[in-house]
């Protein structure tokens, strides 16, 4: 428990620093974090007996994030023509492998990019909602705080009142009482944020909080389903007492694209 608390403390400090230290630190940090998450995903898949094209997948994941992040600083659309060439390397690499299930390997290679890279692209884009030259840390900061508030509220409410299983087949410990506790605590965090950061109204902050709670919980269940399908408990051991990076960011995987879509439509 002590190790878990110490790891959690430093994890929160690093995450807050990544958002508050400016646009360049923000972009570089999430470029590196995305690469590590993708590497962790491929490692898990290999433990499950599949052989995704890890090298070409990591290169493509890195370049895809780098390309879209660069759009926030300068027009880089002309470089988009390099992406099809790079993505074709995944197929070429698979051609030279002697494996019984090449398309399963291809599927897991692209699934890694979809699951571990695309969500962080949307999260990164939240900081540039007002244009490429207007970095704003408030929305990604609020996202992280509300995501953590949801996890904390769900844990505390689940322990105190949890009776009805939410989705026992994939996550035996999650309960409906814990889910609603997470929604309430996250909504309270959103309401508090609305008093300090007025980019969004209090109704919009609370709506974002509810979306994070709903789709963050769904992302957690999806990651649990994935781990159970390959018979592993944690996605890794990089965070002592907390498991792997995918374990810490499972709530972001589905919530970030949904929240970005909501913010995009209300701002346009």
């Amino acid at each position: 428990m002590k190790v878990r608390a110490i790891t959690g403390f430093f994890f929160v400090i690093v995450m807050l620093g990544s958002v508050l230290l400016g646009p360049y630190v923000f972009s570089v940090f999430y470029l590196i974090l995305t690469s590590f998450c993708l590497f962790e995903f491929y490692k898990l898949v290999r433990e499950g007996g599949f052989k995704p094209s890890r090298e070409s997948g990591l290169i493509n994941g890195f370049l895809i994030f780098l390309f879209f992040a660069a759009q926030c600083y300068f027009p880089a659309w002309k470089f988009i023509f390099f992406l099809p060439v790079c993505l074709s390397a995944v197929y070429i690499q698979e051609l030279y492998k002697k494996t019984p299930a090449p398309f399963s390997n291809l599927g897991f290679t692209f699934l890694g990019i979809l699951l571990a890279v695309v969500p962080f692209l949307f999260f990164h884009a939240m900081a540039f909602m007002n244009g490429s030259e207007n970095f704003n840390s408030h929305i990604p900061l609020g996202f992280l705080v509300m995501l953590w508030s949801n996890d904390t509220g769900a844990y505390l409410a689940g322990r105190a009142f949890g009776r009805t299983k939410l989705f026992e087949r994939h996550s035996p410990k999650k309960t409906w009482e814990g889910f609603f506790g997470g929604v309430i605590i996250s909504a309270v965090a959103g309401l508090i944020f609305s008093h300090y950061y007025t980019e969004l109204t209090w109704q919009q902050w609370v709506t974002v909080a509810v979306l994070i709670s709903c789709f963050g919980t769904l992302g957690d269940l999806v990651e649990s389903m994935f781990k159970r399908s390959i018979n592993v408990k944690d996605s890794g051991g990089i965070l002592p007492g907390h498991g792997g990076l995918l374990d810490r960011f499972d709530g972001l995987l589905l919530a970030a694209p949904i929240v970005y879509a909501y913010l995009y439509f209300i701002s346009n």
Side-chain angles (χ1 to χ4, degrees):
M1 192 64 167
K2 183 178 179 181
V3 173
R4 181 180 176 87
I6 293 173
T7 303
F9 174 77
F10 283 105
F11 175 78
V12 170
I13 295 298
V14 170
M15 294 304 300
L16 293 179
S18 72
V19 175
L20 297 175
L21 291 178
Y24 297 112
V25 172
F26 180 74
S27 296
V28 171
F29 178 83
Y30 282 96
L31 173 63
I32 296 171
L33 180 63
T34 298
S35 299
F36 274 107
C37 287
L38 185 56
F39 178 84
E40 191 174 86
F41 176 86
Y42 289 146
K43 181 176 178 291
L44 282 175
V45 171
R46 284 175 173 252
E47 290 177 4
F50 298 95
K51 296 181 179 180
S53 300
R54 183 168 58 186
E55 295 79 11
S56 55
L58 286 169
I59 292 172
N60 275 283
F62 183 90
L63 291 176
I64 289 171
F65 190 97
L66 183 64
F67 168 74
F68 282 99
Q71 299 298 319
C72 299
Y73 297 95
F74 61 89
W77 289 111
K78 58 185 177 181
F79 296 107
I80 196 172
F81 298 106
F82 288 104
L83 292 182
V85 177
C86 295
L87 288 169
S88 66
V90 179
Y91 296 96
I92 295 171
Q93 186 176 359
E94 199 61 41
L95 282 174
Y96 286 92
K97 287 182 180 179
K98 295 181 179 179
T99 57
F103 277 90
S104 294
N105 298 335
L106 284 171
F108 277 111
T109 302
F110 287 112
L111 178 61
I113 294 173
L114 180 65
L115 188 67
V117 177
V118 173
F120 285 104
L121 285 175
F122 283 102
F123 180 75
H124 179 273
M126 289 181 198
F128 299 90
M129 292 293 298
N130 296 323
S132 59
E133 297 180 356
N134 298 307
F135 174 76
N136 187 338
S137 63
H138 298 164
I139 293 178
L141 176 63
F143 183 99
L144 290 176
V145 171
M146 288 185 285
L147 182 65
W148 298 335
S149 299
N150 173 69
D151 292 342
T152 302
Y155 174 76
L156 294 176
R159 286 199 63 178
F161 310 108
R163 298 291 183 275
T164 311
K165 298 299 182 182
L166 177 63
F167 216 121
E168 189 172 9
R169 182 157 58 95
H170 295 303
S171 188
K173 294 183 179 180
K174 281 187 170 49
T175 62
W176 279 104
E177 292 83 1
F179 168 74
F180 287 116
V183 172
I184 292 171
I185 299 300
S186 184
V188 170
L191 193 60
I192 294 172
F193 256 82
S194 69
H195 289 285
Y196 296 97
Y197 304 121
T198 57
E199 295 90 340
L200 304 176
T201 66
W202 72 265
Q203 296 97 329
Q204 292 167 344
W205 275 114
V206 171
T207 300
V208 169
V210 173
L211 290 174
I212 289 172
S213 296
C214 294
F215 288 94
T217 302
L218 184 60
D220 192 339
L221 290 170
V222 169
E223 205 238 354
S224 295
M225 177 176 65
F226 168 64
K227 289 189 295 184
R228 286 180 178 275
S229 70
I230 56 176
N231 297 314
V232 297
K233 183 178 184 294
D234 295 319
S235 65
I238 194 171
L239 299 173
H242 289 264
L245 291 171
L246 290 176
D247 292 322
R248 290 302 89 207
F249 292 101
D250 51 9
L252 182 146
L253 300 180
L254 292 182
I258 297 297
V259 169
Y260 179 85
Y262 169 73
L263 293 173
Y264 178 82
F265 283 118
I266 66 172
S267 64
N268 288 273

